[in-house]
Every structure is written in C-alpha cells, then in structure tokens.
Amino acid sequence: MCQQRKALLSELVNMKKKTTEKNGHVVAWINKAEWDQVLEYLYSKDCALQKYALHRISAWKGRFAHNTPIAVESTADLVRCQILDRSGKLDADDLVLLYGTALMRFVNLITERQQGKIARPLRRLASNLKIPEWIVNLRHDITHRKLPTLKWCRKGCKFVLEWLQQEYWSRQLGSGLAENWDSQSEGEDGEEELQRQENELITRQKEMESYKKARELLISFEKEQFQTFEEFLEEDKQTSLWPEPSADMSWILAQIKHFALESSEILIDALIEDGFMVPTIEQLVSLSVDNSDDADPTAPHLPRVVLRFWLPLLKDLNSQLFINLLLEKLFVELQQLSEDDQKHRSFYIAGWISEVILCNANKNEYHYESKIQRKARLKDKIFMKRIQLRWQQLLAACLNAPCVAMPHLLQQILEDMEHPMPLDTRQKLLRLSSIYTQGADSGYDPSMEHSGQPSGIYTLESLHERLRVQSRRQVYMMHPGTVSDSLKALPERTEDFQEHLSPDVLAERAAELRGSPWQVCTDKVQWKNYPLGKVPGQSEDPSCLMVDNFSTIMVFDQQVEMENATQHNAHAGVSMPHRVTTDGLLWTHNDISKLKAGLQLF
Amino acid sequence: MKVHKSLPKTKQTSKRQQCKDKWFKPNRIPQNSDSSNLSPSTAMAKLEHHASNLRKDKPNLKRLKKKAKAVSFRQVKTLAATERTPSRPLTNGRAGGPEQGSDSDESQDWSSFAKSVLYQNGGGESMEGQESCVSAKAAPGRIEEAAFVHCAERDYIHNRTVLVMQQGQTLCFRGKCLLSCLYGRVEVHGFTLEEGQQSYPLFSPSSHCPLTVTALGDSPNPSKTKKAGRLEAKAIVRKYLSTETRKRLLSEVDSDSCVILLEPLDTPLTRFLTSFPDLKELFGLSSRDIRDSSAMLDTPLSGLGITPLRKTAGGMVMSQTYREALNGLVNACAEELDGCPVILVCGAKNVGKSTFNRHLINTLLNHTASVEYLECDLGQTEFTPSGCLSLSTVREPLLGPPFTHQWAPEHMIFYGQSSCETDLDRYLESLKSLWRLYNRETPIVINTMGWVKGFGFQLLVDIIRLFSISHVVQLSSGDKVMCPQLTPEFLRSSHGWQTHPPVQSALGEDNSGTHPAQRSYTLFSIHSEFEGAGRPGEMRHQRSNEQRDLALLGYFSQLQSPEPGPVRPLHCFTPYQVPHSAVAVGVTHCEVAPTHVLYTANASLVGLCCLNEKVSGRGSPVLLSQTPVCPCVGFGVLRGVDMARGLYFLVTPVAPSVLRQVNCLLLGAVTLPNTLLTGQTGILGEPPYVTMDYSFELTGAGKLHVFKGLARPGQMKHAK
C-alpha cells in the first residue's frame, strides 16, 4: 500500500509537469526552419547573408518587444560590428567604439542573471559561464580604462561569437541539448532545487511513518473489535446492544483520536484501504456476513455488522472536519476505482458514502415512529446532529466519480443539500448520471418506450429520434415550421468552431464596406484549420514573407480631427526594388531542414 | 424646477437650463442608436439591450427616482441634450434673482447626496471597525453566514435570489452577477442604484479588491408613510418569490430596508475569458480569500456565481482623505462656478488611482448623464488595451475592473508602448490633440501615469499647465515621498518638459505672452491606507502584464456571438481582407528592416488607424517612415498575409462601417496574449510562432532583466 501511495505521488508530480509544459512558448520565428536559416546566415562569412540575418532579427525584435533573448541581441550587435569592419568604410577608432559597446553590453547582460541580491564580481560570474577573464578585462578596459586596440576588439568579438554559438545557438531548440544537459548546473538555482528535493523527501518520509502508525493503530482496533464480536456471538443475544467498549478499547480509541488530531488525512487514507473499512472476504466470513452477490450494486447498503464493527471508532471521530474529509477521500477513491473494475471495493466505498450522508439526512418521514423504533434507528448512526457538509464540493466529487452507484448517491446528495437546486436541474442531473453510468432507465421520459429504443446505450441517433418524436407531438399544436427548424438547429449545435456568417450578415458587411478597399473574405476556407499567422497556400519556406517591392509614405503632424483636416501633408512615395535573393539555391531552407531532420548518421 | 415651469422663458433662463440640463440623465436608448455605427462594441450593447428587454417590467433608463418630478421639463429638452449641440460658452452660470429659486431644488439634491456619502462612509467605517453604529433593527455591517438564512431566498425556477438588506448592511463578494434594485437604494463602488432602474452587471474577479453592495435604505420621501413603504416592499417580494419561499423574507422587510435581486451573469466576455485554462477561476476566490478562509461557500447566493465574503476579506478601504477628496469633488461639480471641473488624478504606481477614478466617475454619474475621461496612462488603461491614449464619454457606471469594460472610446490615439519614455514629445502631442476634442460641457477626469519621477514628473507639470486643470487629486502611500506636493505655488515655479514657469516680470501682472495665464486649482491630497498600497500586487492576475493580457482578451471577447454557445478561438473567425497597397504598415517601437516588416506584422496585434493621406502603393506594401499621431479606431489581429494575391487578412471586432476608414496598421510593443497563440485548437499542423523546444535553461535565453537596487557587499554588512 505504501507503494500505491508512492506511485500516486509520482503521478501527481508528473501531471504537474505536463500541464506546465503542454502549451509551449511563443517565439518570434515562424518555425524551426526560420531559426536555422538565421543561425546559418549569422555565422556565414558572407556579409550579404549576415546582413539578411540582422534584418530578420530586427523583425524578431519587433515581435518580441521587450522579451528578446539577450543572446540573440548580443549576437546581432557583434555581427553588425563585423559587417561594418569588413565594409572598410570606418576608421579604426570608430570601430573600437562600436566593438566596445557590443562587447560591454554582452558581458553585462549575460552575467545579469547570475547576480544574486548582492553584487558579486563579474570575474567570478563570468567564470561560472565559462567566459575567460580576458573578456571581462576587455569590458573593464572599455568602460573605465584606456580603450583597447582594434586588434583586441576583433579578437574579443570573434571569441564571444563563438561562445554564443556554442552555448546558445547550437544547443537551442532541441539540438544537442540532451548530451550537454548536466554540464550546466545553474549556480544558486541548482542549490535551491536540491534543497527543495530534500525537503520533499523529508516530508514524504514523515508521511510514510505516520501512515505506518495509522495502520498499526487500526489493526489493533480491529483485533479488539473481533474479540468482542466473538464474545458477543458466544453470548448469542441478537437483540442486545453491542457491548460497551472495554478498557483496552477505550485506550486504543483515545490513541486513534489523538492521532487523528494531527494527521486525520493519513488516518483516513489508511482507513479506506482494503482490510479496514472495506473488509476482505475473509473478514466478512469471520463476521459471518453473507457475501453472495445478491446485493444491489446500484443502491449499495452496508451490512449492519460491518457498520457496527466500525461504529465505535467513527463515533469517536465524527467532527465536522473529519466527516467532510472522509467523504471527500471516499469519493476520490471511488473515482479511481471506476477506471479499473473492482466491484467489491467500490460497493463498500459507495456504501460508506451512502451511510454517512444518510446520517445527515433531515427527513421528516420519521415523524410517526415509536420511541423504540427511533432508538433503534439512531443506534446505528455515526453522528446525531446534522453536520454542515460542503455540498458543492460533494456534488462535484460525486459527479467526478462515475460508477453504478452514482445515481443513488447523487439522489441522496441532491435531496439533502442545504440549498437544494432547482427541481428540473436535479432531474436532469439524475437523468444524465443514469445515462452516463448506463444504468436502468429510471423512467422519466415515456417517449423512450414510445420510440421503442432499448434503454441503456444512448447515441446521437437516439437523441435525434427523441427530438423527432417530441416535435411530431408539437406539430398538432404548433405551426409546422418549428419541426424543420428544430431539426435544422441540431446539426449546427454539434458543429465545430468555424464561424459561419449568414448571407444576411455577409451582405450587410459588404454593403458597409463598399467603396473602400476592405472586404469580407469570401474564399471558401475552413479558417478553423489555419492558425493565426498561416493562410491557405502559404509556403513553409521561411523567406515567404519577404517584401520585394515597397513604397514609403511620409506623414507630418496629423490632426486627430479627421473632418477638418487640411491637406498640408506631404506625400512622398518612394518605390525601390529591394531583393535579397535565395533564388540561386536548389533547395529552399525548409527542404534543407527537412532533409537534415530525415538524415540519420550510422 | 417648479419655478422654471411658471416662469416665462427668457433667454437667460434657457441658457441656464441648457447648462443645468447636463445634470440630468438623458434617456439611454437614443444614445445607443446614435453611437452604434461608431462603436465596435455594438454586440455588447445589443446584448445588454437584450438582457434588459427580457425584463420588460422595468424601465430601461437609469434615472434617479427623486428627479422624476422634472420629467415635464426634461421632455422639452431631451433632444437638445442627446444631439450634440455646439459647445456654448457657459459664461453666465452665475445664478441671479429667479434662478436662485430654480437652484434650490437641485442644491438640496446635492447636499443630501453629500450627506449620504458622509453617512455611508462613516457607517462603512464603523461596519468594518468598531461596531458602534446604532440601528433599530439588524446591526449594520457585513452580512454574515447565519444571516443569509433570514435575509436571502433563492428562486430555483428562475435561478435568481432576492436579498433583503437593512440600512447600512453590506454584501462583499467575489464573482459576477446581474444586480437590480427592487426596493430602496443600494450603492456599489460609488454608484447608487434605485428601485426601478435597469439591472447592472457586477464583476468582482479574484484579481481586484472585491466589490461591496451597501444598503442605503429607502430614499427619504415625505409623501410615503412608513407603513406604505413596508407594504410596497412586501408587494415587491411577493412578485418575485413563490408563496412557500417568501414567508421568511416578508418578516424581514421594513420600509427602510432594501430589496435587491441577483441573477447569474453570462456574457461573451465571461464566456471567452473563462474558456482559457489559466483564467478558469478568474471569477472565483483569490488566494487571499482562501488563506483567510473568508468565503461563505454555502449560501443561497452560491448557485448564482457569486461567493459572499466574511469580514476577514476586508473589501475596499477608504481613508479619511479619500472621502474628503471625493466629497470635495462632488461638491465642486455641483457648484460649477467656472465651467466644468477638470479633475486630474495623479500619484505613483499602485496607490489606487484607477480605483479612485472609478469611484469618482460612478459617484458623478449619480448626478450627471456622462463624465468625460482622458486616459494619459499608457500602461494601466481603463477602457482600451494598453498602449493607447484616449478620450471617452462614460455613461455607464464602472462596476468591475478595466477588462470588464473595454468600451470603444470616442477618440483614441495609438502610441504603441506601455510607457511613454521613448518619445515624450509624441506622447504630449497625442494628448494635446485629444484635449482639443474635449467639448468642455461635462466634467472630465484625467488619469495620469504612475511615472512621477524625473521626466515623468515634468510631463505631469506640463499636463496640469496645458489642460487648465481645476482640481488635482494627488494620491500617495506609506511614508516614502515619491514626488513633491503639487500645490499651485509649487507649480508656479517648476519646469515641465515642454512648458516653463512664466518669466517673473517686475510687477508680476502682465505675462499673457507665451503662456496662458496660469489658472489656479484646488489640490486634494489622498493618503491611501489599504493593505499593500504602493506595492505591486502579488496575487494571481495582478501583475501588470497579466492585466494587459486580460484587457486585450476582454477586447477580443467582443468577437464572440452574444448567444450562448461554444467559445470560438480567434483563428476561427472569417477575416476581412485588404490589399497590401491600400493600407500603410508601421512599427512604432523599434526599427525594422523594411523588407522584413511582414515578419513582424504577421499574426500580430495591430492598431487600426486612419491617416489623412491617401494610401496607394502601386500593388506593393506601403510602409510608414515614422510614427504618426493619428486617430485609432480599434484593434485587430493581422491573421495572415497572402503574398501571392497581395492581401492582408484581419480579424477584428470593429464594425465594418468604421473599418472602411482604416488605412494604416500600426504595430507596437503591446503584443497579443500568449494564450491566444499557444491555445489554438483544431488546427492542422503546428501553430507558427510557438515552440515546445525553446530552453530557458541556456545562458542568454532569457530577456533583458534589470535588477533594481542591487546591493553592494559593503551595504549588506551595514544593514546586518
């Protein structure tokens, strides 16, 4: 059972991870091919290609706004220096200033994350990142000493670009990430992680220990109870009450109660394991409970002996908190059981739920019972006073745990709720639950028999059929149009998310846009298939959005008042052909990335 | 008003009426129709109409009952009030002779209001603090768990709850609902709801301070005896509840209690927002509510989508100075000595400017049909997504945080960033051009940014000088002085970014040259005392970027159809299309290589703007060489670019009749919420711009991150 708990825990941890990872991150490149293209061009020796990459990064910065990765920004700055250097148009002094800024920014920005609350020397931070001291010194020279020579600047630039390629570009986006995974333990973060794991281990250890203790306590309780039970049987007084707890028993109960104060959750976990509140077959036999299968699984009812067996314990623990927690746990258990088939267990779990809720019932039907009847009834109750149950949560938990007994439990809950739901909602819920659990049709709707549908499995067709039957009835009273309307409405409801504009709306919008360059797109396109940023027929090639020709428009101080605007604004349209071709290549970049992905060495 | 009727209508009085007129609420219906073709929020408006039409037993207009007497007088003038009359100078507002009489009625209104504010706030204090208030019946204060059994009853058939509140009682809650006042008067965040008014949607999400409904009791009406009032109230309860359920409530009702009706609220906005996994619990409890276990989970209200909170949850805290400022401003609006008050609200970040603005506007809306609102804060905008400056006419109360009222402003200018520091001149020019559009017939509230140091402070000085401010509200918190007190004396000598103090001439009299004569103004200093004042919010959805995303999601929720149904992701909508050559594209926040500009624009948020120039690009895209100051009519998502046919595809809630004027798409640093891109379902293939493989573990993978106030090793030792 310990293992079960462990497995559960790890599952929980996994679930948490999954939810955070599921959605992915928003980045500035359309796809991996675009990233690869930029990377390749940045580190090519061809100035034109490098420039192209810089231009693309300028577009990325527009997308990223304030979130541009600093590695990308630093690389672009340094590559820009190289291009300007190679152009031969600038003097050495100009270049030193340019290189200087780029290098300084790189060192400052890249070490920023390493800084804790207290400023630490750059040298140490840099060495954590495998940046040699001479780069840091270069930065110091540029900021507050004599400017370095162009030669040193070039050297520094070359080194840093290589460093960036190695540490960032070539490892990013899943390329070669796995093999280098362990080489980077992030200073303090790593320590924190370790600390956290350790704490987790300790708490888990503690939990395990108290769990063991809970089991021990419960086992001693069981032993004691069995003993009294056997003595009781020997006495053979069926009508008499279950004997008063012995001294040993009182002591065990006191211990359990004390334990429950601290860790009621663990106690309940142990309680609902097999062999405790869910008796094993052997236990049932020794309690002389007939374990034949005639018990109705849809309306589970605990054998009285089993209830009475646990009653002393439960009566001791019947605080509001405990009962609520117990119910919650029982439902969780039920939910997990519904997946794998354990009839015996789910019968007893559901039985206990039903029993607890029953104790809480405030029915008036007991008005006319005799005193003795009343006493007998109250004897088996876990608690007497009505307890504030968390009805909303209970209801949710119940609906989360579909099993054959669900309609029964649901009915109990719905009837008992502090603030009952509207009657029709209740009926709908019950009906839904019986549909879901495929239990017997509880006969709410006579039309089902009418149409000759076998109760049990409900399909879309049966819904259609029902609708048809109903509307056929309505025809006698209503005008015939409604039938076709309601039938037409049905397929639309089940349809997907695609927006379908009615011809009226389309016409209205078209009329309002007439005379302007705007139109409603009337292409027959299933837009729901195309994510934002993609249109039908769009190529996967990362150069597909390049603008070859464009004109520029100049706007001068515009007044917001559109009506009385004066035409003093100049308009200068400059058309300039501008091309960076990738025409010469046999394969597009996308082809190459596909090829790369398909390649397998050895 | 009675005086008016009997008086012959001289030219003077009609003028006087004209200016009085704006203190009455015109019928809301004609207004809707006149703005419908302009506003992209018609869907919302329609829905609201729809919702209120469902309740036919209620008049559709919001008008305080005690003013019903003036109806005959108003009917003559409604047309004039709804149609935009060219602004008339309100020079002779001074009441003389006969007007004195006409004034009295209204001034009584005002003074009674001022008293009620005082009473209610004073009551509020005692409610939350020492239970000292004396009341005949139920003690005023937060309704607690046990009390709900007596004072609330749920109608399960219509799924609504009738709540009887005694004077001074409050209901503080999380969630969303539709509130109507059936009997008496209640107040929500400064706005008074009276019986017979339309119902209002209330939003109290976990991201903000919870809303509180306060019972004010029935308006003192001498014509009604106590008994008549009680009978009337009981009749109303009977109307809404069936025989079995109303019994308990009837015994609670008295002539001075309030009866309110709460109904579930389900709008395209709430449906759209809660469809995102991260926002599922947006209208649920905040982590603080849970920590203090202040939620009352099992009450007759729980099925409606609201959760009442216990006293531990606090609710809004109004300091003494806050109340005084509010009263002072309301009185100032009543006096209107020198035209309409121009109220500027300023203060550092997180001192409660936005909350105060809403409270002020709501309070003013009790007495006037509309309040103008000039947004100068680019980051935490009230009516628009962040990154734009706007001038709005507010006619409806603001009963929720900004993302719940993304209403199209009358005028808007796209700036493109959530702070103005990169281009102070464009910021000021944009504001000036908005200011020129203010008609000066209604009071105006000017919200300013939280940047109050250095140039930010200079801009503030400019705004006060340029916009002839009559009242300055300066909020502060804690002991730390963020910026100097903006007293008129201080301003006389301080330098702005564009304006400078007048040169002191020898006589100090004649300096009408370069600057208009400095008008003096009244300064209200508010010291905020709520928990966490001056600090950024730490709870879920409180961070400023989350707020920005929420505003954008709120904006795009207008695309959803008003009928309940499945929530449609953005990519499923039929887009508009426009040729590349017909609209100019500009990037406002950085330099992008022109040939690569579509890589920035694709799948991005764009401001839809209108240039005076004719845009025609001979078949190729048109790019802007610099950022213009031009009107913006709304936002859209550039859904895709068809390179072969030269078309942009755009998804936007802006009405086609407005869209037709758009000839410029501006891009800014305010980007689409990530969830809109990552959460796209039902698409073929991988979504663009989304990756699973980006590793933030690598050095340099993160964005630029500035640690503020990095301590030097020496300083740390000192501190210890």
Side-chain angles (χ1 to χ4, degrees), chain A residues 63 172 420 497 523 530 542, chain B residues 156 568 599 602 639 645 695:
Chain A
R63 290 197 84 81
Q172 198 50 277
F497 295 125
D523 305 347
Y530 295 91
Chain B
Y156 293 103
R568 270 197 195 100
Y599 286 86
N602 191 26
R639 193 237 182 278
R645 291 191 287 164
S695 160

Side-chain angles (χ1 to χ4, degrees), chain A residues 257-402:
Chain A
K257 201 169 178 182
H258 182 74
F259 181 85
L261 278 183
E262 276 174 10
S263 27
S264 52
E265 228 173 293
I266 289 165
L267 182 69
I268 293 173
D269 280 344
L271 253 180
I272 59 179
E273 293 289 354
D274 276 328
F276 297 107
M277 273 167 82
V278 178
T280 59
I281 307 292
E282 297 87 64
Q283 284 172 334
L284 283 178
V285 169
S286 51
L287 284 172
S288 56
V289 172
D290 175 27
N291 195 42
S292 56
D293 285 315
D294 59 346
D296 180 10
T298 58
H301 189 67
L302 284 183
R304 288 296 94 177
V305 188
V306 176
L307 172 66
R308 279 170 209 171
F309 185 89
W310 287 102
L311 216 48
L313 175 69
L314 294 176
K315 275 189 170 170
D316 244 29
L317 296 171
N318 61 10
S319 71
Q320 179 170 335
L321 210 69
F322 184 84
I323 296 293
N324 269 316
L325 199 62
L326 178 66
L327 278 177
E328 237 167 73
K329 293 253 175 191
L330 285 170
F331 270 121
V332 170
E333 199 58 32
L334 199 58
Q335 186 183 356
Q336 274 157 8
L337 284 174
S338 59
E339 276 134 41
D340 35 55
D341 198 40
Q342 289 191 42
K343 273 186 191 158
H344 174 75
R345 192 162 156 72
S346 56
F347 174 82
Y348 273 94
I349 297 278
W352 277 110
I353 297 175
S354 166
E355 199 61 51
V356 173
I357 298 178
L358 202 65
C359 283
N360 208 33
N362 58 345
K363 281 185 198 146
N364 301 327
E365 55 199 59
Y366 303 124
H367 268 315
Y368 306 105
E369 64 190 353
S370 68
K371 237 185 181 174
I372 298 159
Q373 274 173 322
R374 185 178 149 80
K375 208 171 178 189
R377 182 171 61 79
L378 292 181
K379 182 185 73 183
D380 285 346
K381 277 191 128 186
I382 300 168
F383 48 89
M384 301 297 164
K385 260 198 198 150
R386 193 167 156 81
I387 282 181
Q388 268 290 322
L389 294 180
R390 299 185 199 128
W391 292 108
Q392 299 290 340
Q393 280 103 313
L394 273 186
L395 189 61
C398 181
L399 292 174
N400 269 334

Side-chain angles (χ1 to χ4, degrees), chain B residues 67 90 96 125 197 268 279 299 325 357 438 453 594 705 708:
Chain B
K67 283 179 187 164
L90 304 170
E125 192 177 46
Q197 282 171 10
L279 301 177
T299 65
N357 284 333
Y438 167 52
K453 286 186 162 174
H705 185 85
K708 276 178 188 161

Side-chain angles (χ1 to χ4, degrees), chain A residues 23 26, chain B residues 275-277 569 571 673-683 687 690:
Chain A
N23 274 328
V26 173
Chain B
S275 74
F276 294 98
H571 66 278
N674 286 347
T675 44
L676 286 180
L677 291 172
T678 55
Q680 301 183 87
T681 48
I683 52 170
V690 174

Side-chain angles (χ1 to χ4, degrees), chain A residues 201-218:
Chain A
L201 263 178
I202 290 170
T203 36
R204 215 175 300 168
Q205 191 74 35
K206 272 187 188 158
E207 264 178 39
M208 285 305 157
E209 271 165 27
S210 33
Y211 180 72
K212 249 192 236 161
K213 196 179 168 202
R215 282 181 63 86
E216 276 162 18
L217 282 172
L218 289 178

